């Protein structure tokens, strides 16, 4: 049986990137979060086919995650991830794209927009890092995850507001994803204790965030225990052309817990002229 998480492969700088590509038209780049065993497919499987009805959807596994190469001796940091997206765009002949960033991917989307403003159109930030906050219990558990089904179940309980989606099958699936060869080794090297350093690494200067002159849609779950909703409120205050949508009865998984509404928000936002 083929693995849906493994898609296309392309050279980006010094390594190959595994990425999904669906649909045609104006490009939309999706950047996943940083949970254990995460991949672009796991993060965006409910959104990619819907957005692909109107747009060219691209969703890479960021280096250190999923099925992108894990180069020996690499140091995982913002410069590496920013460069990977730019290299991917160049390799695919994409001059300019819309951007969707989830959590870790939101912090990356902010950094990309600041450094390469000419390469991006509209931006969606979902449960994003990128501004300063104190390490939460939820994020500490996620970044400090040690592989076991029990730990994964506890983590999924933290991520989701709706406990009905945290099934034993899902926990088993995500646990198995987290122990694939190389997955945990690279993951545990990214955000070592003290984990506040990982947050600081992904934080952009507020003065630079203020200069973002893009239409930005900011989305957050009100009950998010991983990334505080105050992050998105702060981003909304800083970014002049931003709008903020907060879902009640929602944790860190907006795109899963409110899938249809989330997808419609993106479709409407990217379709506006």
């Amino acid at each position: 049986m083929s693995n849906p998480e493994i898609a296309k492969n392309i050279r980006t700088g010094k390594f190959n990137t595994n990425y999904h590509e669906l649909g045609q038209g104006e490009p939309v780049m999706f950047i996943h979060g940083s949970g254990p065993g995460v991949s672009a497919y796991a993060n965006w499987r409910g959104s990619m086919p819907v957005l692909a009805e109107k747009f060219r959807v691209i969703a890479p596994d960021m280096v250190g995650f999923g099925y992108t190469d894990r180069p020996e001796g690499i140091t995982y940091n913002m410069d590496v991830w920013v460069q990977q997206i730019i290299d991917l765009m160049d390799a695919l002949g994409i001059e300019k794209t819309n951007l969707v960033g989830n959590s870790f991917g939101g912090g990356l989307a902010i950094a990309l927009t600041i450094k390469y403003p000419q390469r991006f159109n509209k931006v969606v930030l979902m449960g994003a890092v990128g501004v300063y906050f104190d390490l939460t219990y939820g994020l500490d558990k996620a970044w400090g995850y040690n592989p076991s089904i029990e730990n994964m179940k506890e983590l999924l309980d933290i991520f989701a507001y709706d406990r009905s989606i945290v099934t034993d099958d899902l926990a088993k699936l995500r646990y198995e994803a987290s122990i694939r060869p190389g997955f945990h080794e690279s993951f545990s090297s990214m955000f070592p204790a003290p984990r506040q350093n990982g947050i600081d690494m992904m934080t952009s200067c507020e003065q630079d965030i203020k200069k973002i002159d893009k239409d930005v849609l900011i989305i957050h779950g009100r009950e998010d225990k991983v990334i505080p909703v105050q992050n998105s409120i702060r981003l909304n205050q800083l970014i002049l052309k931003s709008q903020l949508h907060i879902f009640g009865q929602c944790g860190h998984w907006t795109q899963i817990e409110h899938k249809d509404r989330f997808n419609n928000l993106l479709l409407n936002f990217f379709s506006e002229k």
Side-chain angles (χ1 to χ4, degrees), residues 12-42:
T12 47
K14 296 176 180 175
F15 54 85
N16 289 342
T17 290
N18 176 62
Y19 72 102
H20 301 261
E21 186 173 18
L22 297 79
Q24 293 177 321
E26 191 181 342
V28 177
M29 178 81 70
F30 282 86
I31 308 177
H32 59 72
S34 64
V38 76
S39 68
Y41 180 82

Side-chain angles (χ1 to χ4, degrees), residues 10-70:
I10 199 165
R11 192 76 178 166
T12 47
K14 296 176 180 175
F15 54 85
N16 289 342
T17 290
N18 176 62
Y19 72 102
H20 301 261
E21 186 173 18
L22 297 79
Q24 293 177 321
E26 191 181 342
V28 177
M29 178 81 70
F30 282 86
I31 308 177
H32 59 72
S34 64
V38 76
S39 68
Y41 180 82
N43 219 165
W44 302 117
R45 64 189 182 279
S47 297
M48 291 191 294
V50 178
L51 271 290
E53 289 173 17
K54 282 193 172 184
F55 299 96
R56 179 187 178 188
V57 170
I58 296 127
D61 286 347
M62 300 311 297
V63 64
F65 298 96
Y67 291 89
T68 287
D69 288 352
R70 291 172 161 75

Side-chain angles (χ1 to χ4, degrees), residues 74-259:
I74 190 170
T75 300
Y76 296 109
N77 59 37
M78 290 295 276
D79 290 342
V80 166
W81 291 313
V82 163
Q83 193 57 50
Q84 181 188 2
I85 292 292
I86 297 301
D87 288 342
L88 177 62
M89 289 171 65
D90 290 345
L92 294 173
I94 296 171
E95 189 54 43
K96 207 167 186 181
T97 183
N98 297 304
L99 202 49
V100 183
N102 168 26
S103 194
F104 151 91
L108 186 48
I110 292 167
L112 279 159
T113 308
I114 289 167
K115 190 168 184 184
Y116 296 98
Q118 73 282 8
R119 302 296 301 265
F120 301 101
N121 288 318
K122 295 181 177 182
V123 181
V124 176
L125 306 173
M126 186 193 108
V129 300
V131 289
Y132 178 84
F133 64 99
D134 290 325
L135 179 68
T136 61
Y137 173 79
L139 188 57
D140 194 34
K141 292 297 279 187
W143 281 354
Y145 165 82
N146 282 311
S148 74
I149 289 181
E150 293 71 33
N151 286 347
M152 183 57 80
K153 187 88 190 286
E154 182 190 359
L155 203 53
L156 297 182
D157 267 333
I158 291 169
F159 270 65
Y161 173 83
D162 178 4
R163 295 296 187 275
S164 71
I165 66 173
V166 182
T167 61
D168 289 344
D169 283 348
L170 179 64
K172 185 169 180 284
L173 201 68
R174 298 317 309 153
Y175 161 70
E176 286 170 354
S178 75
I179 58 165
R180 287 174 187 142
F183 272 47
H184 189 64
E185 290 77 3
S186 60
F187 180 72
S188 59
S189 75
M190 276 181 216
F191 308 107
R195 289 184 233 288
Q196 184 68 43
N197 291 345
I199 294 172
D200 297 345
M201 171 182 76
M202 302 210 67
T203 298
S204 291
C205 167
E206 288 200 352
Q207 288 307 313
D208 291 335
I209 296 173
K210 274 184 177 177
K211 291 174 189 163
I212 292 174
D213 186 30
K214 310 279 177 197
D215 286 315
V216 179
L217 170 61
I218 303 165
I219 300 171
H220 217 113
R222 187 181 61 205
E223 285 78 27
D224 192 336
K225 294 178 183 173
V226 183
I227 308 298
V229 70
Q230 281 75 16
N231 267 31
S232 285
I233 293 169
R234 182 62 185 149
L235 286 166
N236 177 232
Q237 290 168 341
L238 291 170
I239 302 170
L240 198 63
K241 293 165 70 175
S242 67
Q243 51 184 298
L244 174 61
H245 193 104
I246 297 174
F247 284 101
Q249 298 185 306
C250 184
H252 193 54
W253 278 349
T254 317
Q255 85 282 26
I256 295 170
E257 295 192 79
H258 292 267
K259 183 179 77 172

